[in-house]
Amino acid sequence: MCGTWISWYGALAILIYALYAISDEVHQLFVIGRGPQVKDVLIDSAEAIVGT
């Protein structure tokens, strides 16, 4: 049972991190000289997986 909760919280943390990464890329739409890249979201999400 305990392992299930740890997995649930880990998945939730990764989801929140990925949503934050997506919001950061949307923000970059409005910054002059920068643009959103899917690659950045994937890199940030990979960091969340390694760090969780």
Side-chain angles (χ1 to χ4, degrees), residues 4-20:
T4 303
W5 283 104
I6 292 171
S7 298
W8 170 251
Y9 286 126
L12 182 61
I14 292 168
L15 176 65
I16 291 170
Y17 201 97
L19 290 173
Y20 183 81

Side-chain angles (χ1 to χ4, degrees), residues 12-49:
L12 182 61
I14 292 168
L15 176 65
I16 291 170
Y17 201 97
L19 290 173
Y20 183 81
I22 291 169
S23 71
D24 182 47
E25 295 303 313
V26 170
H27 169 260
Q28 288 185 18
L29 279 169
F30 304 103
V31 177
I32 297 173
R34 300 202 59 190
Q37 294 186 356
V38 175
K39 177 178 69 171
D40 289 342
V41 172
L42 295 175
I43 290 170
D44 290 341
S45 298
E47 291 172 358
I49 292 169

